[in-house]
Amino acid sequence: MTADTTDVTEEMETTIRIAVSLRWGDAFDADIARQIAEQVGADRSACLQGPSPAEKNSPLPAGGHVGFPSSEGNASDLTGTLDAVASTGARRIELVGWSAQDGPVPISWLRRVSGNWVRNHPDAAQVVVYAGTVRLGQEMDDDWRTVTGNEAPLRSVVWEEFPPFRHHLLVCRGPRCCAQGAVALHDVLHNKLVQADAIDTEVLVTVTGCMFPCNHAPLVVIWPDGKCLRLTEDNIDEIVRDLSAPQEASLTASMPPPTPDMR
C-alpha cells in the first residue's frame, strides 16, 4: 500500500457521518430514520429535538450502523452523539439534517447546536454540515459547510421570556399518539391556529412526549384549564375557534377529560 493510499484510508476511517432528524415527529419514526441513514450512508443517528435517548451509541461494527432509534423511535441527542463520536478519535464529523415532513425545518438550529459544541471543544474533530435538508429519495451533492464556532449562539434576548398567551396547548407525540395519527392532526391544528392569528398570542403550542391516558390517543392538554381532549378531524375547527376566541373558552369548560378505561 502506498503512502497516498494509506492517507486516504486513514481519512475514511476517521470520518463519521451522522444523520440528524430535524423535527420532533421525525425523531419518533424509526423506520424512516433507518431508511434515511442508509440513503445518506450514515454511521450514526441523532435527534436535533425530540424524545430522550433510548440507547447509547456503541463502537461502530464493521459495515454496520448504530445509534438508530429504538422501537419507540428514540435516538440520541446531537450533543451527546458528538461527544461519543469525538471520543472515538474521529477527525471529521459530517452532519446530515433530514426530515420526512413537508414544510420548513430548523436547519439553522443544526448549525447553532453544532457551533455551540465546536466552541466548547475547540481541539476536537472538524465538524461540517450538509448545506441542504435531505428528504427520502433525494440525492446528495458535495455541498458541505464547515462549522467554525462563530455560528449564532443558543441564547438571545428575545428568548428571555415566554410570549404573551392565554392558553398553553400541549400536544402529545408519544408513540401511541403518533400511531393514532397525531402528527398529521397536529399539522392541521397548527395551520388552522396560524390562519386564526392565534399562535404565540392566544395560544402557545408545545410538543411533548407521552402524557397519558394513551387509550384516548391522540391527546392534547389545554392549560390553565387542565383539560385533556382527544383530537379528531371532527373537533379541530371547534378547538381552534374556542382557543382563538376573545372571550373565555367554552369548549374546555364543556368537554370533560376522557376517563381511562380501567377494566
Side-chain angles (χ1 to χ4, degrees):
M1 182 180 294
T2 66
D4 290 344
T5 304
T6 301
D7 291 343
V8 171
T9 302
E10 289 180 353
E11 180 179 355
M12 292 175 62
E13 290 177 348
T14 56
T15 296
I16 300 297
R17 181 171 295 181
I18 305 171
V20 185
S21 61
L22 298 176
R23 298 183 65 180
W24 183 282
D26 296 322
F28 281 96
D29 200 327
D31 291 335
I32 296 296
R34 289 187 178 92
Q35 291 180 51
I36 289 285
E38 292 175 0
Q39 175 181 314
V40 304
D43 304 292
R44 304 213 177 195
S45 181
C47 301
L48 181 64
Q49 56 180 327
S52 301
E55 57 182 340
K56 294 182 178 179
N57 285 318
S58 57
L60 291 175
H65 299 292
V66 299
F68 291 137
S70 69
S71 59
E72 290 195 348
N74 298 345
S76 296
D77 68 285
L78 177 56
T79 298
T81 302
L82 287 169
D83 287 340
V85 169
S87 69
T88 68
R91 296 180 182 177
R92 175 182 167 97
I93 302 174
E94 299 177 345
L95 304 179
V96 181
W98 67 269
S99 178
Q101 305 173 50
D102 294 329
V105 292
I107 187 68
S108 64
W109 276 100
L110 179 56
R111 300 187 185 97
R112 281 178 184 258
V113 173
S114 56
N116 184 69
W117 187 87
V118 167
R119 284 192 293 272
N120 292 328
H121 302 79
D123 299 322
Q126 177 194 37
V127 179
V128 296
V129 175
Y130 182 64
T133 300
V134 173
R135 315 278 182 170
L136 273 175
Q138 174 186 328
E139 294 185 1
M140 293 176 57
D141 54 28
D142 199 32
D143 191 1
W144 298 91
R145 310 291 172 83
T146 300
V147 178
T148 64
N150 295 321
E151 289 74 18
L154 300 183
R155 286 186 169 87
S156 169
V157 292
V158 300
W159 303 322
E160 189 67 26
E161 298 178 353
F162 282 105
F165 62 91
R166 203 156 49 92
H167 301 286
H168 195 175
L169 179 65
L170 308 181
V171 294
C172 181
R173 288 286 182 90
R176 295 160 192 83
C177 281
C178 285
Q180 295 293 324
V183 174
L185 288 171
H186 291 169
D187 284 344
V188 173
L189 176 61
H190 184 272
N191 289 337
K192 287 182 177 291
L193 287 170
V194 169
Q195 293 170 7
D197 196 27
I199 290 292
D200 295 343
T201 54
E202 297 296 324
V203 184
L204 176 65
V205 179
T206 300
V207 179
T208 77
C210 183
M211 294 191 292
F212 301 100
C214 300
N215 287 348
H216 301 274
L219 295 174
V220 297
V221 175
I222 301 172
W223 290 100
D225 310 77
K227 298 298 182 181
C228 178
L229 309 174
R230 176 189 285 120
L231 186 63
T232 69
E233 292 180 354
D234 295 331
N235 68 6
I236 284 182
D237 287 337
E238 186 179 359
I239 291 175
V240 171
R241 284 196 301 271
D242 194 77
L243 292 177
S244 59
Q247 66 273 15
E248 286 296 324
S250 59
L251 176 67
T252 54
S254 63
M255 295 183 63
T259 301
D261 187 352
M262 300 302 292
R263 292 176 297 174

